[in-house]
Amino acid sequence: MRYPEGHKGSVRATIVAKAARALRAGGLAGVSIPALMKAAGLTHGGFYAHFENRDELVSEAVLAAAHETAARVLSPEIGDLDATLDAYLSIGHVEHPEVGCVIAALGTEGRAQSKPVRRAFAEAARGFVRLLETKLHPKSAAGTLSDEAMRLSAQMIGAVVLARLVDDPALAARILNAAKAH
Amino acid sequence: MRYPEGHKGSVRATIVAKAARALRAGGLAGVSIPALMKAAGLTHGGFYAHFENRDELVSEAVLAAAHETAARVLSPEIGDLDATLDAYLSIGHVEHPEVGCVIAALGTEGRAQSKPVRRAFAEAARGFVRLLETKLHPKSAAGTLSDEAMRLSAQMIGAVVLARLVDDPALAARILNAAKAH
DNA sequence: GGTATGCCATGATGGTCGTCATCGCATGCG
DNA sequence: CGCATGCGATGACGACCATCATGGCATACC
């Protein structure tokens, strides 16, 4: 069929959005192209009309996931630092990695990926610390990162990773609460 | 050939040890059985004489890696807490995940694995916090975990994950140093 | 020293993956 | 109203995977 203007672009955007979700749920290597396309309501055939290769989609999905979490948890309008900590260090975040922080969901997989994917993770990681910096010190000069922002970023990410691994809801909740101290 | 007593057991141990290294380097899904066996100096054929299936090897490799790091970095004879922090939060650790902490190397992959593998990760995670607890409070009752041990565990793991992702040696070093505060 | 043993190499099988070529078809344009 | 357009479905290809069946062969035992 002849498709309406901009159709292809919007389809591409939904593929990226659904992939961002599916990859966080199943791991970077755990979801195939057929599965990713099915998540977007399509079959595998059209994939290469939208992306050069699988890594291009993975890279964009990582960035999309990072922006999504930034807007939901780290953006200024969420509230002060405590509001961000409460949202990030929550049971809901631990139980739903598919809509949570991409670093806490896929962080350790980034290192072993191709260069474009590694670049996406690098940008996500730097963006995380940068946003936390502006929450800690709203009037700090752009581009400077305080030790406190780096330390607290590590603490938040590590806490969610640990809480997801211990396989014990009560202990997970204790880890999250312990990580709210700063 | 007729092999000397205990030969099979020692071969199995070297397969696990080499797999622990290869999996931390390449990711849980990034190394195939042929590759894992080649790392141990064998071909893929004999694999199922040693393991029920791939997940059994992965589970054992995760535990072996955890014990290895515990002995090298977290054991009492390393020194006090500062010695452990210096070793864990070092450039060498960031640059060599294949011999480093299994949680910092593979932590986010654990959640999406089969039950035996998840159990291995859960034990590794709990063991990490437990060992840090005895370093922080040597005379605390066995089995109790302080908020401080959980918070600092998260901070250490998150710092290494972040440092590996930012793709900037100078920034990585700053993150590591920032995470030495407690 | 002959022989039975059992570990491991060779090789096959079915399935799935990433990638690509082809085609049908519904609709926006003339 | 007919037709050209271009998106996406169908299907094929080679590669690689996990798993398993078979066989060779060097040695520890009798």
Side-chain angles (χ1 to χ4, degrees):
Chain A
M1 55 178 138
R2 186 93 171 253
Y3 288 82
E5 181 119 4
H7 174 83
K8 185 174 180 179
S10 81
V11 167
R12 182 190 161 106
T14 70
I15 295 175
V16 171
K18 297 288 191 172
R21 213 182 146 92
L23 289 171
R24 277 177 286 183
L28 291 187
V31 192
S32 66
I33 289 179
L36 289 170
M37 291 296 278
K38 181 177 275 184
L42 300 172
T43 62
H44 67 280
F47 181 83
Y48 292 89
H50 293 283
F51 303 96
E52 183 85 15
N53 50 40
R54 188 179 188 278
D55 276 348
E56 186 179 314
L57 169 57
V58 172
S59 304
E60 295 199 22
V62 167
L63 288 178
H67 292 141
E68 187 188 310
T69 306
R72 174 153 3 135
V73 177
L74 292 165
S75 84
E77 60 248 29
I78 292 301
D80 60 359
L81 177 62
D82 284 335
T84 290
L85 287 176
D86 284 343
Y88 195 95
L89 297 169
S90 68
I91 302 275
H93 189 191
V94 167
E95 286 177 346
H96 293 104
E98 73 277 10
V99 292
C101 173
V102 69
I103 301 176
L106 303 170
T108 67
E109 278 188 270
R111 179 183 40 85
Q113 305 296 318
S114 69
K115 184 138 82 175
V117 178
R118 289 204 309 274
R119 255 208 311 271
F121 273 104
E123 187 170 329
R126 285 193 291 256
F128 188 105
V129 180
R130 206 181 308 128
L131 282 171
L132 205 63
E133 171 73 28
T134 70
K135 267 209 181 294
L136 275 165
H137 308 113
K139 49 203 64 164
S140 70
T144 66
L145 295 178
S146 66
D147 279 8
E148 181 64 6
M150 296 187 284
R151 194 200 59 73
L152 188 54
S153 297
Q155 178 172 314
M156 291 166 65
I157 293 166
V160 171
V161 172
L162 263 182
R164 284 183 179 145
L165 282 185
V166 292
D167 201 31
D168 175 341
L171 181 53
R174 291 184 57 208
I175 292 171
L176 295 177
N177 274 324
K180 287 179 184 166
H182 60 279
Chain B
M1 54 176 143
R2 186 91 170 257
Y3 288 82
E5 180 118 5
H7 173 84
K8 185 174 179 180
S10 80
V11 168
R12 182 189 161 107
T14 70
I15 295 175
V16 171
K18 299 288 191 172
R21 209 179 207 288
L23 289 172
R24 276 176 288 182
L28 290 187
V31 192
S32 66
I33 288 179
L36 289 169
M37 292 296 277
K38 180 178 275 185
L42 300 172
T43 61
H44 67 280
F47 181 84
Y48 291 90
H50 293 283
F51 304 96
E52 183 85 17
N53 50 41
R54 189 180 188 277
D55 276 350
E56 186 180 315
L57 169 57
V58 172
S59 304
E60 294 199 21
V62 167
L63 287 178
H67 291 140
E68 187 188 312
T69 305
R72 176 158 355 140
V73 177
L74 292 165
S75 83
E77 59 246 31
I78 293 299
D80 60 0
L81 176 62
D82 284 336
T84 289
L85 288 176
D86 284 343
Y88 195 94
L89 297 168
S90 67
I91 302 273
H93 189 191
V94 167
E95 287 177 346
H96 292 104
E98 73 275 10
V99 293
C101 173
V102 70
I103 301 176
L106 303 170
T108 66
E109 279 188 271
R111 180 183 40 83
Q113 305 297 318
S114 68
K115 183 139 81 173
V117 178
R118 289 204 310 273
R119 255 209 311 271
F121 273 104
E123 188 171 327
R126 285 192 292 255
F128 189 106
V129 181
R130 207 181 306 127
L131 282 170
L132 205 64
E133 171 72 28
T134 70
K135 268 210 181 295
L136 276 166
H137 308 112
K139 48 201 64 161
S140 70
T144 67
L145 295 179
S146 66
D147 279 9
E148 181 64 7
M150 295 187 284
R151 195 200 58 74
L152 188 53
S153 297
Q155 180 171 312
M156 294 168 64
I157 292 166
V160 172
V161 171
L162 263 183
R164 285 186 178 143
L165 281 186
V166 291
D167 203 30
D168 175 341
L171 181 53
R174 291 183 58 207
I175 292 170
L176 295 177
N177 274 323
K180 286 178 184 165
H182 60 278

